Amino acid sequence: MTYENIKNIILVILVVLSGVLTWTLWTYQPNLELLENLKTLKEEPIGPTNEFSKLVLPEKVVYHYPNNEHYGTVDIGEINKTINEIKEWNLTDFEDRSSEADVLISSMYEPGNTVITYPDNVPIEQYQNVIAIDEEIALTFDFDHIVINSNNLDREDGIVYFISKKSNTVYQSHVRASLVQSFKDKYFENSIFNENFSKYFRYQPSAGTTIFIPSGERQLVKYQYLSEEFESDRFKNLLFSEPTIVQKNVQSTMEEFTDSSSLLRVMHDSNTISYINFDTSTEWSPVDSSLLSESIDYVNSHGGWTDNYRYDSFDQASNRVVFRQYELNGYPIFSDSSSKSTVQVSWSQGKFREYRRSNFSFDAPLSDHIKVDLPSGESVVNHLESLEGLELDQLEDIAIGYKMTKDPQTKLIYLDPSWYYLYGGNWIMFSMEETGGINRGLE
């Protein structure tokens, strides 16, 4: 065989191989099912998503009657009925009456008024997704109370106020008087006979603060639940944009996951996690009214609503939005570590900065529910006023809530009812045994 023949054979082989490779590239189809399964595995959420209207809810509704009588509720069923009724209204002709805020706020609890209280300011721009507003000019105010005036309904229009006691602003709107009359007949007039409502009393610890507190002794159920802890790697896969490059560091009570710009800490001793994005500025940025919706979207992105969470507060100083767990009947849940009973999302310069929450959820409830007697709201007030060192101008609210504790050995979750008082921005569990000094409490 000559040298030329060998070259020709090699050339033919190369041409054939080239053709085979070209055909393979043209006809190759990746295993999309496998890739889709890998994607699904990476994005497996830890819980469900939720909607703005189901997270941003009032904390209580109070109806005000003549002779200093007040009936209120925190029952979630009654709150949903109230909001669903208002959803059918068409609110018009908004007017800024903040120049009269002191007078209007002081009269918001007069007989004939329904006061719907939210835990903190809510931007009206975002709440327009919940209620119907017919207004040509864009509205940009916040509110923490809706007040429905059911007096003088012989006129064509009824009056609904959107009040922010936090910001000292008042906006007045109009609605057809017939709709307010229907609300009055259906709800206002019947709350006295509704077992989900109870008598409240008015308490003013200082000139600028009015609190409505359930009257009389209470009997509430204490609960026990099994807990489900989430594997740390699930948070890693869900929160990091490229989890395959994340470095892991295991310590005795903590796991750390890091990449070039983020840090995830899973604290096993407190059952909480903290996820921080360092690729943001720590400087203060102007308040953005969209942060409430953006925080909801962020938690939705990994199905973070593992339990019964609701909007709780918005800290303007840190641009932090907080969602709190609630007991099934509408009472807030507190814990020794705020991250254990809340979901917190912080922002900086319009970018996500920090995420804090628990690393577990409520699983199966245990059937043995024991009832607990709570002292009357009146006796709680009397005892607080007798505490040495308590400054009444720092007392912001008094309410019933649940203390959550988690047994590290059995993984049982305990919910115990108690009175709480909001003092200097912190919720403190009330105790009749407290005699002096101020216990800085839970959260």
Side-chain angles (χ1 to χ4, degrees):
M1 183 178 289
T2 65
Y3 177 71
E4 288 299 323
N5 288 337
I6 293 172
K7 286 199 305 182
N8 289 335
I9 292 171
I10 293 174
L11 182 60
V12 170
I13 292 172
L14 290 175
V15 170
V16 171
L17 286 174
S18 176
V20 170
L21 287 173
T22 302
W23 181 83
T24 302
L25 288 173
W26 286 348
T27 60
Y28 172 71
Q29 291 186 359
N31 191 335
L32 296 178
E33 182 178 356
L34 176 60
L35 293 177
E36 188 63 31
N37 287 340
L38 290 173
K39 181 180 179 182
T40 302
L41 178 63
K42 177 185 177 298
E43 298 179 354
E44 182 69 26
I46 59 172
T49 60
N50 215 335
E51 301 174 5
F52 184 96
S53 61
K54 294 180 180 179
L55 291 163
V56 182
L57 292 167
E59 61 182 6
K60 64 184 171 185
V61 177
V62 180
Y63 298 123
H64 301 279
Y65 300 94
N67 303 317
N68 200 31
E69 286 197 341
H70 318 275
Y71 282 80
T73 188
V74 299
D75 181 82
I76 188 61
E78 298 298 334
I79 285 174
N80 283 332
K81 287 178 187 177
T82 302
I83 296 303
N84 288 337
E85 186 78 13
I86 297 174
K87 282 181 181 179
E88 303 300 318
W89 299 358
N90 193 30
L91 299 165
T92 62
D93 301 325
F94 278 77
E95 178 185 356
D96 185 357
R97 297 189 61 182
S98 300
S99 60
E100 309 164 68
D102 290 343
V103 174
L104 291 172
I105 289 175
S106 66
S107 62
M108 63 189 285
Y109 304 115
E110 289 184 351
N113 283 345
T114 298
V115 178
I116 303 169
T117 302
Y118 291 77
D120 203 347
N121 271 351
V122 177
I124 191 65
E125 305 100 297
Q126 297 173 50
Y127 207 69
Q128 291 183 88
N129 297 322
V130 179
I131 58 176
I133 294 177
D134 185 8
E135 196 72 16
E136 295 182 359
I137 301 174
L139 302 174
T140 58
F141 61 86
D142 295 339
F143 67 94
D144 51 29
H145 292 78
I146 297 176
V147 180
I148 303 169
N149 186 333
S150 58
N151 297 316
N152 304 317
L153 293 178
D154 52 341
R155 298 177 298 188
E156 183 177 349
D157 286 343
I159 302 296
V160 178
Y161 294 100
F162 289 80
I163 295 175
S164 172
K165 295 178 73 174
K166 183 177 183 177
S167 306
N168 202 45
T169 58
V170 178
Y171 280 77
Q172 175 182 294
S173 68
H174 294 259
V175 66
R176 289 206 330 258
S178 59
L179 294 174
V180 180
Q181 183 65 57
S182 175
F183 175 85
K184 181 179 180 180
D185 295 340
K186 194 182 300 184
Y187 300 105
F188 186 92
E189 299 291 359
N190 291 317
S191 68
I192 297 175
F193 311 105
N194 187 334
E195 63 180 8
N196 293 322
F197 281 76
S198 61
K199 203 165 189 178
Y200 278 54
F201 68 95
R202 181 172 184 165
Y203 174 55
Q204 292 182 276
S206 60
T209 304
T210 300
I211 306 171
F212 284 87
I213 306 169
S215 179
E217 296 180 352
R218 300 278 156 152
Q219 193 176 69
L220 276 76
V221 172
K222 61 186 301 185
Y223 301 95
Q224 293 183 25
Y225 289 85
L226 294 175
S227 64
E228 177 188 1
E229 289 192 17
F230 303 114
E231 294 181 0
S232 301
D233 281 355
R234 293 186 67 183
F235 287 109
K236 179 202 73 173
N237 293 333
L238 287 164
L239 300 180
F240 285 92
S241 58
E242 295 186 49
T244 56
I245 66 172
V246 171
Q247 301 293 313
K248 182 176 182 180
N249 177 29
V250 179
Q251 302 180 25
S252 59
T253 61
M254 177 175 62
E255 293 176 86
E256 285 189 345
F257 301 85
T258 58
D259 64 7
S260 60
S261 62
S262 305
L263 168 65
L264 168 64
R265 282 197 180 106
V266 180
M267 283 74 75
H268 295 292
D269 53 347
S270 63
N271 287 116
T272 59
I273 74 159
S274 170
Y275 177 62
I276 302 173
N277 173 23
F278 293 115
D279 191 22
T280 56
S281 170
T282 57
E283 296 180 3
W284 181 86
S285 55
V287 175
D288 185 347
S289 63
S290 68
L291 292 185
L292 177 54
S293 286
E294 290 182 14
S295 297
I296 293 172
D297 291 341
Y298 177 79
V299 181
N300 276 338
S301 69
H302 56 273
W305 307 113
T306 51
D307 290 301
N308 185 29
Y309 288 97
R310 283 156 54 175
Y311 171 58
D312 179 74
S313 63
F314 177 40
D315 184 352
Q316 295 184 0
S318 60
N319 275 340
R320 182 175 68 243
V321 181
V322 178
F323 303 88
R324 181 175 298 281
Q325 284 182 282
Y326 275 73
E327 176 265 353
L328 295 177
N329 293 312
Y331 295 103
I333 296 175
F334 303 93
S335 60
D336 54 356
S337 169
S338 61
S339 301
K340 194 179 293 185
S341 55
T342 62
V343 163
Q344 305 177 24
V345 186
S346 301
W347 303 84
S348 178
Q349 304 293 333
K351 293 183 178 180
F352 162 78
R353 174 162 177 77
E354 186 173 8
Y355 178 51
R356 292 179 176 270
R357 60 165 299 131
S358 70
N359 70 341
F360 66 92
S361 69
F362 286 52
D363 198 357
L366 301 182
S367 58
D368 293 334
H369 296 326
I370 301 172
K371 291 189 176 181
V372 176
D373 293 321
L374 296 183
S376 68
E378 292 85 351
S379 63
V380 171
V381 167
N382 291 335
H383 190 77
L384 287 175
E385 290 184 336
S386 70
L387 289 181
E388 181 181 351
L390 185 138
E391 300 176 12
L392 291 177
D393 60 353
Q394 295 292 306
L395 185 58
E396 304 170 51
D397 201 359
I398 300 173
I400 295 173
Y402 275 81
K403 180 184 178 181
M404 177 175 66
T405 53
K406 184 173 179 292
D407 190 317
Q409 304 300 323
T410 64
K411 296 186 178 181
L412 287 176
I413 301 172
Y414 300 93
L415 293 182
D416 295 296
S418 177
W419 283 98
Y420 286 83
Y421 59 101
L422 183 60
Y423 185 82
N426 298 307
W427 280 105
I428 300 171
M429 189 169 69
F430 171 81
S431 172
M432 278 290 191
E433 298 176 0
E434 190 175 351
T435 57
I438 300 299
N439 172 14
R440 286 296 169 186
L442 297 175
E443 301 181 21

